[in-house]
Amino acid sequence: MKIVITGGGGFIGFKLAKALLARGTLAAEKIARLTLVDQALPADLPKDPRLETLAGDISDPKFAASAIAADTTSIFHLAAVVSGAAEADFDLGMRVNLQGMRNVLEQARKCARPPRLVFASSVAAFGGDLPRVLDDSTTPAPQTSYGSQKVISEYLVSDFSRKGYIDGRSLRLPTIVVRPGKPNAAASSFASAVVREPLNGVAYECPLPPETGVWLLSPRRVVEAFIHAHDLPASRWGSNRVVNLPGITVTIAEMIAAMGKIAGSQVAKRVSWKLDARIDAIVKTWPVRFATPRALAMGFKADPGIDAVIRDYIADENVRIG
């Protein structure tokens, strides 16, 4: 088993890599090589003879050709320009999110045998006039460039699978909470920062009103979902190669309340409000409630609640409550 993770230097990609190395197998095959592909890579890489790294831009066809060798058996495609950045810089989003996907697929098509490819899509695929609760029959109508690029990529993954070039699976990810590190250009960055910053002793100005809802999934669960999606046989996917992952609906106010219950009221008081109309306009287009019977039937799982998500973050990142 020879695996490539694009976006492998990012938080989720690196977490996925560590989980795979610890597990040692994928789809019941021994992992012989795991290549992390990204523009920048972590300094604290594990010392493991199976691990390789390659720094570069996946939107460059020559780099993509060097990243995905003919003997690659599995690809996790996570590399992307995040939502807010893709909206602010249309050309950048199109180059990385769309041309990058084209490059990955074209190289996968050249592999010795059709590789399994797991693509990180997003619930940003949905927008416009939505029902109160979305389900597996809801038609994507993205209202952002990022969402549009994700939907186009889903169609490409499905068509390359139909042609037999790859065995593709696209996961529409909820907002992933709580991410460590610093706020980034994603419009969803607030959902992690509103918990992460106060827990680390830092005041945080939330750009959205407290009643804003978020459909979310924890880092633990999303890593499990990537591995589970890969290991499911093609027969479980059939002709529909896209699934809405399960999640939970939580408002910002509920996130702050849970944080206060776990870490104390003084921590919760570190959140103040400074509304940002640009971010609000993007986030308002995102759905916050889903029924996901197909994903549940396939074995994907949501978190039990926001309290568990916050406690897992504290444990996984060794957070000393500031």
Side-chain angles (χ1 to χ4, degrees), residues 60-99:
D60 176 357
K62 290 183 180 178
F63 175 73
S66 67
I68 301 172
D71 61 352
T72 300
T73 49
S74 298
I75 302 166
F76 293 88
H77 183 43
L78 281 60
V81 169
V82 293
S83 52
E87 194 66 17
D89 190 335
F90 179 78
D91 293 325
L92 176 64
M94 289 292 286
R95 189 178 78 243
V96 176
N97 294 345
L98 204 50
Q99 187 56 47

Side-chain angles (χ1 to χ4, degrees), residues 189-205:
S189 183
F190 73 91
S192 286
V194 76
V195 172
R196 179 188 61 235
E197 306 302 283
L199 284 177
N200 285 287
V202 178
Y204 179 67
E205 292 182 329

Side-chain angles (χ1 to χ4, degrees), residues 235-250:
S235 60
R236 294 291 300 276
W237 292 89
S239 61
N240 185 358
R241 293 298 175 130
V242 186
V243 70
N244 300 320
L245 287 186
I248 56 174
T249 302
V250 186

Side-chain angles (χ1 to χ4, degrees), residues 160-300:
F160 272 62
S161 298
R162 181 186 65 83
K163 297 289 286 186
Y165 300 144
I166 64 169
D167 179 0
R169 301 101 192 274
S170 297
L171 309 184
R172 289 185 184 137
L173 272 56
T175 297
I176 306 304
V177 176
V178 179
R179 290 175 178 265
K182 296 180 179 180
N184 62 20
S188 60
S189 183
F190 73 91
S192 286
V194 76
V195 172
R196 179 188 61 235
E197 306 302 283
L199 284 177
N200 285 287
V202 178
Y204 179 67
E205 292 182 329
C206 184
L208 297 168
E211 65 273 13
T212 302
V214 183
W215 177 249
L216 63 84
L217 189 68
S218 70
R220 281 192 188 185
R221 290 295 192 197
V222 77
V223 167
E224 291 173 2
F226 281 126
I227 296 172
H228 182 67
H230 178 281
D231 282 1
L232 282 171
S235 60
R236 294 291 300 276
W237 292 89
S239 61
N240 185 358
R241 293 298 175 130
V242 186
V243 70
N244 300 320
L245 287 186
I248 56 174
T249 302
V250 186
T251 66
I252 296 175
E254 289 169 339
M255 295 169 73
I256 295 170
M259 177 175 62
K261 182 172 68 174
I262 292 166
S265 60
Q266 291 305 310
V267 172
K269 288 178 181 177
R270 292 182 181 133
V271 179
S272 59
W273 309 93
K274 185 179 180 181
L275 301 188
D276 185 316
R278 183 187 68 86
I279 295 176
D280 189 43
I282 294 173
V283 173
K284 276 182 178 177
T285 70
W286 295 349
V288 297
R289 291 177 179 82
F290 282 82
T292 57
R294 181 167 181 254
L296 294 171
M298 294 171 75
F300 294 100

Side-chain angles (χ1 to χ4, degrees), residues 64-139:
S66 67
I68 301 172
D71 61 352
T72 300
T73 49
S74 298
I75 302 166
F76 293 88
H77 183 43
L78 281 60
V81 169
V82 293
S83 52
E87 194 66 17
D89 190 335
F90 179 78
D91 293 325
L92 176 64
M94 289 292 286
R95 189 178 78 243
V96 176
N97 294 345
L98 204 50
Q99 187 56 47
M101 168 57 88
R102 284 292 312 276
N103 292 343
V104 168
L105 289 173
E106 288 299 335
Q107 287 309 128
R109 183 180 174 185
K110 297 175 184 177
C111 289
R113 63 172 181 171
R116 288 193 184 183
L117 185 148
V118 182
F119 168 54
S121 188
S122 169
V123 293
F126 299 102
D129 187 12
L130 294 170
R132 183 176 178 275
V133 180
L134 284 72
D135 60 26
D136 296 324
S137 66
T138 305
T139 302

